[in-house]
Amino acid sequence: MAGSSPAMMAMVESVWSLDPKLATDTVPVGDLALTRVLLSNNANFPWLILVPRLPGLVEITDLELNEQVQLLGEIDAAARVLKSVTECEKLNIAALGNVVAQLHVHVIGRRHSDAAWPKPVWGAAKPSAYSPALRDGLIGALRRGLKITDRERAER
Amino acid sequence: MAGSSPAMMAMVESVWSLDPKLATDTVPVGDLALTRVLLSNNANFPWLILVPRLPGLVEITDLELNEQVQLLGEIDAAARVLKSVTECEKLNIAALGNVVAQLHVHVIGRRHSDAAWPKPVWGAAKPSAYSPALRDGLIGALRRGLKITDRERAER
């Protein structure tokens, strides 16, 4: 669908909806061309989740090649902005999907001092919700870095 | 470097070497255009590791865009072949690098009955080495699927 017309993308998106568990565990940052960018509501790790807004996806291999390249570009952008904003020491990038089937990609900033290092973050430490001020400041910086300005779409 | 001449690729490769821990924990499957494909010597999970043969890489964002696209193509190929050969139920694809800094991408076939499901595989179960017959059969099938024929390179 990458490269399709805005009208076509809007039609396909109209039958897509965010997985309820992803919605519960995150706050929206905003939409890039292909993916909805979410911030995991867990202050232990700066942790973005990118969800392609196309219905029925489980594996990266379910995307057509041009869609995969678009996804990769958005992962690259999210990773660079997350690293710049949080000054993290390492990135972890992963598409697992063992618990939530809807295709989603984790982009996580890691520090040698974080609650799980050097282990992966999944299941490693009890989630700790952001304070509203910290969360909103982080989301604002991420939106500026990702050049997301369409607040209405991000919050729907 | 993707798109560079074979001579240029050979020169750059000549200063690249596989991380010793990755070498110890895996057996080589063979080389694709950009990456060396390794099989984790752990029969609990069918688990490939793709390592770009360029020196000094830590993050996917260290690659230029055309190299990222080449890496994505090789991840896609490895994932499809792994799924076809092992008939796994889910793919886990991840670039973590918290323990081994050299950029490497995990492509792991998961089953609902495997030793860690639905958790991630890292640190989840004691590794169990393949029998030589099972290992060689799997590597042969992976090489055929990936159209790797240059045995000498794979074994160096």
Side-chain angles (χ1 to χ4, degrees):
Chain A
M1 291 298 160
S4 302
S5 70
M8 174 69 85
M9 185 73 190
M11 191 185 75
V12 172
E13 274 191 69
S14 71
V15 291
W16 173 84
S17 64
L18 183 62
D19 177 274
K21 178 162 169 54
L22 289 180
T24 300
D25 295 347
T26 67
V27 287
V29 175
D31 284 0
L32 300 175
L34 176 63
T35 65
R36 178 153 301 171
V37 181
L38 308 167
L39 175 69
S40 173
N41 191 15
N42 180 352
N44 288 323
F45 316 99
W47 180 343
L48 299 177
I49 299 176
L50 275 60
V51 190
R53 299 188 309 281
L54 299 174
L57 301 174
V58 175
E59 305 284 3
I60 287 178
T61 52
D62 294 341
L63 291 166
E64 293 173 25
L65 182 60
N66 61 342
E67 296 166 339
Q68 290 191 16
V69 171
Q70 178 66 32
L71 175 60
L72 179 66
E74 297 185 8
I75 291 169
D76 182 75
R80 288 175 190 274
V81 169
L82 189 67
K83 186 160 191 178
S84 166
V85 166
T86 67
E87 299 182 335
C88 60
E89 293 158 343
K90 184 73 191 75
L91 293 163
N92 287 178
I93 298 175
L96 303 181
N98 303 340
V99 176
V100 169
Q102 183 175 63
L103 178 62
H104 59 287
V105 179
H106 303 273
V107 178
I108 308 158
R110 303 297 308 273
R111 290 179 209 283
H112 301 165
S113 59
D114 74 29
W117 186 268
K119 292 181 183 170
V121 298
W122 300 276
K126 194 171 181 307
S128 162
Y130 283 101
S131 71
L134 195 58
R135 180 196 65 204
D136 293 347
L138 181 53
I139 287 177
L142 292 166
R143 286 174 62 88
R144 284 189 294 278
L146 290 167
K147 300 181 173 54
I148 295 172
T149 54
D150 187 349
R151 176 157 295 277
E152 203 170 58
R153 289 187 73 177
E155 290 182 349
R156 75 179 172 194
Chain B
M1 291 296 161
S4 302
S5 69
M8 175 69 85
M9 185 74 189
M11 191 184 75
V12 172
E13 274 191 70
S14 71
V15 291
W16 173 85
S17 64
L18 183 63
D19 176 273
K21 178 163 169 56
L22 289 180
T24 300
D25 294 348
T26 67
V27 286
V29 175
D31 284 1
L32 300 174
L34 176 62
T35 64
R36 177 152 302 170
V37 182
L38 307 167
L39 174 69
S40 173
N41 191 16
N42 180 351
N44 288 325
F45 316 99
W47 182 344
L48 298 177
I49 298 175
L50 275 60
V51 189
R53 299 189 308 282
L54 299 173
L57 301 174
V58 174
E59 305 284 3
I60 286 177
T61 51
D62 293 340
L63 291 166
E64 294 174 24
L65 182 60
N66 62 341
E67 296 166 340
Q68 289 191 16
V69 171
Q70 177 67 32
L71 175 59
L72 180 67
E74 298 185 9
I75 291 169
D76 182 76
R80 288 175 191 274
V81 169
L82 189 68
K83 187 160 191 179
S84 166
V85 166
T86 68
E87 298 182 337
C88 61
E89 293 157 343
K90 184 73 191 74
L91 293 163
N92 287 178
I93 297 175
L96 303 181
N98 303 340
V99 176
V100 169
Q102 182 176 63
L103 177 62
H104 59 286
V105 179
H106 302 273
V107 178
I108 308 159
R110 303 298 307 272
R111 291 179 208 285
H112 301 165
S113 60
D114 74 29
W117 186 267
K119 292 182 183 171
V121 299
W122 300 277
K126 194 173 180 306
S128 162
Y130 284 102
S131 70
L134 195 58
R135 180 196 65 204
D136 293 348
L138 181 52
I139 288 178
L142 292 166
R143 287 174 62 88
R144 284 189 295 278
L146 289 168
K147 299 182 173 53
I148 294 172
T149 54
D150 187 348
R151 177 157 293 278
E152 203 168 57
R153 289 186 72 176
E155 292 181 348
R156 76 181 170 190

